C-alpha cells in the first residue's frame, strides 16, 4: 500500500538531529519503508546521506526504494574517465554522480530499482538483505534461479548479474544499497560503461565487468512495480512491520531539514570530478600534415581533477615549440575538462590574430586533447 508522506503521517526515527526536526510527529516503533517520488539521482543520494546522518536507527531499520532517470553512478574512490564514456554521456544528456559508498560503477534508468537498507552498525548484514531480495523474487516467481554470491551480487541462472552491491559504514549507522535490473536498456548500459580513453594510469578502484540481464527478459511480469511491492512485502514480514510504502519528496525541507544543500553538494564539479584519486594520462595520437602523419605525445598528471603536470610534444615543423609550451603552461592548474580547453582555444586566437594556419593546427590539437577528457 502506498501512503503519501505528509506532516500528519511522517515518522520520527531520528533523535540525534543537529537541525530542527520539523515535520516529524509520530514515533515508528520497529521500522519503515520509504519510496522516493523523485527520479533525480542527486536528490535521492541526498536522502541516503540525510538518513545516515540524522536518524536514530536503533531498533528502527529503514528500507529506501528509489529509481533514477538515466545516470551513471561511480563509487566513492573511482575515476570516471576510467569507468565510463563521458563524451557519449554528454551527447545523450546522461548524468554522472559520485556516491558516498565504495564499490563499482553502475548505470541507472527507470528500468532499474535501487534498494537501500539502513541499520545500526551492529545490525549491518549485506547477505541477509540479499537473501531477503531473493525471497521476494521467489515469492513472485517460485522457480526463478537467483542466488546471492560471496561478492554480494545477485546472479540470475548462475551467470547473469542482476544486482551489484555497495555500502557505507559510519560510527553508529550503516547502509547497504544495491541495484536490481528489471527492464534497463542493456545496450545503452554497455555503451556508457565502456571507457574509450587510452593511457590512463591510476590506483582508483576499478569496476569488475560482468554479464548482465534483466529480470523481465526471464519473466515479463517482473516489472519494477511488481518487484518493488514484493520486496516491500518481504521486508515488512521480516521486520514485523506494517506493509506500507511511504512516498517521500526528497526536496521537502519541512521533512528533511537541510537536505537540499546535500543535493547541491553532490552535483558540484569538485565532488563528482575533484574527488577522483590522482591519475596520469600517457598517450599519443596522429594528425595529417602534408599527406603524412605527425605524432603528438601527451603526458598529463591530474590531482583533485585539475592538471598538475602537462607535457604535450609536437614536432617543431608542425607547431612551433613556443606554442606547445604556451599550451602546456596554460593547462596547468585548469580542470581536466573539455570546456577548459575550449576556453584556451579562444585565448590563442586573440594572442595570434590573423594566423589562420596556426589557428587550424591549434584547433586540431585542442580537439584531440578534448577527446581524452
Amino acid at each position: 500500500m502506498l501512503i503519501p508522506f505528509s506532516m500528519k503521517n511522517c515518522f520520527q526515527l531520528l533523535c540525534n538531529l543537529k537541525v530542527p526536526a520539523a515535520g516529524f510527529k509520530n514515533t515508528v516503533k520497529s521500522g519503515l519503508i520509504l519510496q522516493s517520488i523523485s527520479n533525480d539521482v542527486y536528490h535521492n543520494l541526498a536522502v541516503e546521506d540525510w538518513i545516515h546522518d540524522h536518524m536514530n536507527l536503533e531498533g528502527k531499520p529503514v528500507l529506501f526504494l528509489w529509481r533514477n532517470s538515466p545516470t551513471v553512478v561511480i563509487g566513492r574512490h573511482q575515476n570516471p574517465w576510467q569507468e565510463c564514456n563521458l563524451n557519449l554521456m554528454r551527447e545523450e544528456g546522461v548524468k554522472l554522480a559520485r556516491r558516498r559508498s565504495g564499490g563499482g560503477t553502475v548505470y541507472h534508468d527507470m528500468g532499474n530499482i535501487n534498494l537501500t537498507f539502513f541499520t545500526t552498525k551492529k545490525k549491518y548484514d549485506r547477505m541477509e538483505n540479499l537473501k531477503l531480495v531473493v525471497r521476494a523474487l521467489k515469492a513472485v516467481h517460485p522457480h526463478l534461479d537467483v542466488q546471492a554470491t560471496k561478492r554480494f551480487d545477485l546472479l540470475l541462472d548462475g551467470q547473469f548479474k542482476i544486482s551489484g552491491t555497495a555500502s557505507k559504514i559510519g560510527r553508529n549507522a550503516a547502509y547497504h544499497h544495491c541495484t536490481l535490473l528489471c527492464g534497463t536498456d542493456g545496450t545503452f548500459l554497455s555503451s556508457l560503461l565502456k571507457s574509450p580513453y587510452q593511457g590512463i594510469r591510476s590506483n582508483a578502484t576499478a569496476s569488475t565487468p560482468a554479464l548482465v540481464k534483466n529480470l523481465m527478459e526471464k519473466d515479463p511480469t517482473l516489472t519494477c512495480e511488481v518487484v518493488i511491492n514484493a520486496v516491500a512485502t518481504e521486508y515488512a514480514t521480516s521486520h514485523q512491520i506494517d506493509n506500507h510504502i511511504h512516498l517521500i519528496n526528497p526536496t521537502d525541507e519541512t521533512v528533511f531539514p537541510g537536505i537540499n544543500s546535500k543535493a547541491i553538494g553532490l552535483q558540484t564539479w569538485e565532488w563528482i570530478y575533484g574527488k577522483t584519486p590522482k591519475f596520469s594520462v600517457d598517450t599519443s595520437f596522429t594528425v595529417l600534415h602534408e599527406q603524412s602523419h605527425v605524432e603528438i605525445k601527451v603526458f598529463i598528471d591530474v590531482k583533485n581533477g585539475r592538471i598538475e603536470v602537462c607535457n604535450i610534444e609536437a614536432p617543431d615543423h608542425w607547431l612551433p615549440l613556443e606554442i606547445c609550451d604556451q599550451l602546456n603552461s596554460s593547462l596547468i592548474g585548469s580542470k581536466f575538462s573539455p570546456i577548459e580547453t575550449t576556453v584556451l582555444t579562444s585565448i590563442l586566437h586573440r594572442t595570434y590574430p590573423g594566423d589562420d594556419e596556426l589557428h587550424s593546427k591549434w584547433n586540431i590539437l585542442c580537439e584531440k586533447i578534448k577527446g581524452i577528457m
Side-chain angles (χ1 to χ4, degrees), residues 63-277:
L63 170 62
F64 176 43
L65 304 160
W66 45 295
R67 291 192 286 167
N68 293 321
S69 58
T71 307
V72 171
V73 184
I74 59 175
R76 172 68 180 83
H77 307 290
Q78 290 198 291
N79 182 326
W81 290 274
Q82 277 187 306
E83 297 295 332
C84 49
N85 190 331
L86 293 172
N87 289 330
L88 179 60
M89 290 169 62
R90 294 183 192 108
E91 292 172 5
E92 298 293 338
V94 176
K95 295 177 182 177
L96 176 66
R98 182 186 296 274
R99 58 179 184 269
R100 303 285 184 189
S101 62
T105 298
V106 290
Y107 171 67
H108 293 178
D109 64 13
M110 293 301 291
N112 169 72
I113 305 168
N114 300 294
L115 314 168
T116 309
F117 298 86
F118 294 91
T119 60
T120 59
K121 183 178 179 179
K122 291 180 180 179
K123 294 288 187 179
Y124 169 79
D125 190 335
R126 288 178 293 177
M127 186 55 72
E128 187 57 40
N129 297 334
L130 294 176
K131 288 179 179 178
L132 185 153
V133 176
V134 171
R135 291 196 301 271
L137 292 173
K138 286 182 175 292
V140 180
H141 192 306
H143 302 295
L144 195 67
D145 180 5
V146 58
Q147 297 176 344
T149 72
K150 292 180 180 179
R151 291 178 55 87
F152 301 104
D153 298 325
L154 290 180
L155 291 187
L156 181 66
D157 294 334
Q159 60 178 320
F160 299 106
K161 187 174 177 178
I162 60 170
S163 177
T165 279
S167 58
K168 178 180 178 179
I169 303 175
R171 181 184 300 177
N172 299 309
Y175 63 76
H176 160 222
H177 49 196
C178 60
T179 55
L180 197 52
L181 298 177
C182 291
T184 290
D185 186 334
T187 302
F188 209 29
L189 180 154
S190 298
S191 299
L192 293 172
L193 300 189
K194 184 180 295 184
S195 171
Y197 312 111
Q198 303 294 320
I200 294 178
R201 293 184 296 183
S202 171
N203 291 324
T205 302
S207 297
T208 303
L211 293 173
V212 299
K213 195 170 188 175
N214 284 306
L215 287 167
M216 290 181 66
E217 293 178 64
K218 186 72 174 181
D219 181 350
T221 67
L222 291 172
T223 63
C224 287
E225 292 74 20
V226 167
V227 173
I228 284 173
N229 287 329
V231 171
T233 299
E234 184 59 36
Y235 187 87
T237 300
S238 298
H239 291 84
Q240 298 181 324
I241 62 175
D242 290 336
N243 184 17
H244 293 158
I245 299 176
H246 299 266
L247 299 180
I248 62 168
N249 178 355
T251 66
D252 190 345
E253 291 272 345
T254 65
V255 176
F256 305 104
I259 195 168
N260 287 311
S261 64
K262 290 182 179 292
I264 290 170
L266 290 166
Q267 297 178 58
T268 63
W269 186 94
E270 287 72 21
W271 171 251
I272 297 174
Y273 296 99
K275 290 297 182 180
T276 301

